[in-house]
Amino acid sequence: MIRVLSVASECAPLIKTGGLADVVGALPGALAPLDIEMRVLLPGYPTVLDAVGKKRTESKHKDLFGGPARVLAAKVGGLDLLIVDAPHLFARQGAPYAGPDGNDWPDNAERFAALCWTGADIAGGALEHWQPDILHCHDWQAGLAPLYLRDRHPGAPVGTVLTIHNIAFQGLAPADKLAALRLPPSGMQTDGFEYWDQISALKAGLVTADRITTVSPTYAGELMTPEFGMGLDGVLRQRRSDLSGILNGVDLDAWSPPYSKPAGKAKHRARLQKAMGLADGPGPLCVVVSRLTTQKGMDMLIEALPRLLDLGGQLAVLGAGATWLEEAFRARAEAHPGVSVRIGFDEDLARMMMAGGDAILVPSRFEPCGLTQLYGLRYGTVPVVAHTGGLADTVIPATPAGLRAGAATGLQFHPVNADALARAFDQLCALYSDRDLWLKIQKNAMRHPVGWDQSAKDYAALYSDLIKQP
Ligand code: ADP
């Protein structure tokens, strides 16, 4: 048995702003059959504390970054949680990173440093009955944990892994927070956690963790290039031999289509059109469930949209994000009966979209793994994706070779720009009108394995490699 402490700022279904939460929430269940016991350490946000019901106190109150804190334990829906109950840091309304006004909390650096501090202590043996063999940290919010572990518990027999879910978020803090974050001044240099005179929580993890993973093999390669590395490509090139890509999977219970054959989609398609106020049309009903940002290529979609509509296609969007993109989609919906948009975050509607859509669009400029194309595959909702990152690794494109081999599960476009997306709409509509071929692609998609089986084995192998003898 391998014991793993997973440290993260989000975990579905308790607290979620994106794919990170899905993955953190799914990993424990995916790894359990491989004799891996994973506990998840989360901040004690009000939503988490309210959702978990009965809690056990695992450690008594201690001072943590300026206020009393303790560790609680709770089990919920198959998840074995440890929770940092620190009201001065986490008992706040709003999203995990921002207040009700939409601005980031000014003390985010301290809040997530406290999460890391606690994680490092647990890895160092702070709990009476449980100590992990592996400390698995996710994204910048957990980036300081391997460093605190190394500095505060040297020699602890614990291997460390940092997983990059999105390198665009690096957890930068001004250098004058060094003391507040209890970091050693010696780390403020190029081979430490310094990043252009600031403190980078992500870089701290990148230079200290035993291994680094990201969520697809293609993104692992891309991260080492200036185009995708967001300033950290050099650091990652130096750690090339410790970096690997392990694809995300889908929680098959949480994402299970209410039909077993593509034909079962018809009534869900009609339901979705009704819910979104769309009439029926001759072309494919395309859906988008996404943050509305330029990373996700939403501006390119707006540019290429006229082509889809000219071809008789429809677009239903569920998302929230940049105000100008929200407004642009609203304006298109007002101007064209084939476009409908719902601004907000809605898990039920997301599932309705997957079940009712003909195609799901993921035109990201970069995409570490991407989950909605995986849900699309499972639901027979054909993914139309940019050729980048995990999208390139998970969708078998309907190229002449892919079609001849009878293997295609979706469409990829390249280069990643609006013209290429518009051309992908041409191909999409042509394929859609060939009913037999379309059905074949849908069936291929639904058969494509998107569960955790292979990736769970890859994580298990990684953990076993890192087991340290006390
Ligand atoms: P990212 O984490 O970069 O946002 P992913 O594709 O990895 O992108 O994960 C996005 C997750 O968030 C998916 O589970 C998707 O269904 C969900 N999601 C995104 N936007 C919404 C929304 N508006 N309503 C419901 N779920 C959403």
Side-chain angles (χ1 to χ4, degrees):
M1 146 105 82
I2 300 179
R3 290 179 199 83
V4 184
L5 179 66
S6 175
V7 182
S9 58
E10 302 183 22
C11 178
L14 298 164
I15 176 90
K16 165 168 166 175
T17 70
L20 166 69
D22 292 272
V23 175
V24 172
L27 268 178
L31 292 166
L34 303 176
D35 206 23
I36 292 171
E37 180 190 72
M38 178 177 268
R39 302 181 84 176
V40 180
L41 180 71
L42 277 181
Y45 312 114
T47 40
V48 169
L49 290 170
D50 291 347
V52 296
K54 217 168 120 220
K55 305 171 253 302
R56 212 174 55 241
T57 304
E58 288 272 322
S59 78
K60 294 205 193 78
H61 275 117
K62 274 202 276 205
D63 180 78
L64 182 69
F65 288 77
R70 59 188 174 157
V71 175
L72 302 175
K75 289 207 174 165
V76 53
L79 289 167
D80 191 349
L81 297 176
L82 293 167
I83 301 166
V84 185
D85 180 28
H88 63 297
L89 300 170
F90 301 122
R92 303 176 190 181
Q93 296 310 320
Y97 316 114
D101 60 1
N103 292 323
D104 278 355
W105 296 110
D107 60 347
N108 271 349
E110 288 85 346
R111 296 171 75 221
F112 295 102
L115 173 72
C116 293
W117 190 269
T118 310
D121 273 358
I122 295 172
L127 301 187
E128 204 176 325
H129 301 294
W130 192 84
Q131 184 177 10
D133 305 297
I134 304 288
L135 179 65
H136 187 163
C137 306
H138 299 272
D139 271 354
W140 76 264
Q141 295 89 346
L144 294 174
L147 182 111
Y148 289 144
L149 177 67
R150 183 197 66 186
D151 289 354
R152 303 186 50 243
H153 306 278
V158 178
T160 53
V161 179
L162 178 76
T163 295
I164 304 168
H165 295 263
N166 191 339
I167 203 153
F169 306 109
Q170 303 185 353
L172 294 178
D176 61 16
K177 287 213 176 188
L178 204 59
L181 301 179
R182 305 186 195 173
L183 290 167
S186 61
M188 269 315 266
Q189 49 185 337
T190 317
D191 61 1
F193 48 74
E194 181 261 357
Y195 184 81
W196 297 99
D197 294 329
Q198 301 203 78
I199 298 163
S200 164
L202 183 65
K203 191 178 168 210
L206 294 180
V207 298
T208 6
D210 295 327
R211 294 287 185 86
I212 301 164
T213 70
T214 187
V215 288
S216 70
T218 293
Y219 193 59
E222 289 172 345
L223 280 176
M224 291 183 280
T225 67
E227 191 187 346
F228 291 98
M230 305 239 173
L232 291 173
D233 45 294
V235 179
L236 287 159
R237 280 195 299 278
Q238 276 180 3
R239 299 223 51 197
R240 177 184 296 271
S241 57
D242 298 315
L243 168 66
S244 61
I246 301 179
L247 272 179
N248 287 336
V250 165
D251 182 333
L252 300 180
D253 295 328
W255 292 91
S256 170
Y259 44 82
S260 56
K261 294 197 191 100
K265 288 178 78 67
K267 76 172 189 223
H268 297 280
R269 187 178 191 273
R271 228 179 108 202
L272 177 62
Q273 281 174 322
K274 192 161 171 229
M276 297 296 287
L278 292 165
D280 202 9
L285 168 55
C286 297
V287 297
V288 168
V289 180
S290 179
R291 290 187 285 124
L292 302 182
T293 62
T294 50
Q295 180 210 326
K296 298 291 183 181
M298 290 296 122
D299 50 325
M300 282 189 278
L301 173 56
I302 288 187
E303 217 183 310
L305 183 57
R307 182 81 71 98
L308 176 68
L309 299 173
D310 286 349
L311 294 163
Q314 297 183 320
L315 178 69
V317 176
L318 166 63
T323 312
W324 70 279
L325 286 166
E326 293 181 354
E327 276 165 11
F329 277 112
R330 278 204 185 105
R332 297 308 180 281
E334 263 170 41
H336 199 291
V339 182
S340 177
V341 56
R342 192 74 62 81
I343 301 297
F345 199 91
D346 186 332
E347 290 276 356
D348 293 333
L349 184 57
R351 283 169 175 74
M352 267 178 77
M353 292 263 198
M354 292 298 162
D358 296 309
I360 174 138
L361 310 180
V362 196
S364 309
R365 286 195 168 78
F366 69 93
E367 192 57 80
C369 178
L371 289 175
T372 59
Q373 86 282 10
L374 298 179
Y375 304 147
L377 290 170
R378 181 146 164 82
Y379 281 70
T381 307
V382 174
V384 179
V385 304
H387 179 86
T388 189
L391 301 172
D393 289 336
T394 53
V395 174
I396 303 172
T399 56
L403 289 171
R404 254 197 317 276
T409 60
L411 283 76
Q412 286 186 7
F413 65 94
H414 189 80
V416 184
N417 61 33
D419 281 349
L421 176 56
R423 283 195 299 278
F425 286 145
D426 293 342
Q427 195 197 359
L428 172 70
C429 294
L431 290 171
Y432 183 74
S433 60
D434 182 338
R435 298 313 295 171
D436 290 343
L437 190 51
W438 185 255
L439 185 64
K440 170 83 179 136
I441 297 173
Q442 285 182 307
K443 282 188 180 160
N444 287 346
M446 290 181 81
R447 266 200 299 267
H448 187 93
V450 292
W452 274 100
D453 287 359
Q454 183 54 48
S455 299
K457 284 184 197 146
D458 294 344
Y459 278 115
L462 174 74
Y463 298 152
S464 333
D465 264 9
L466 290 177
I467 291 293
K468 296 187 178 164
Q469 301 309 327

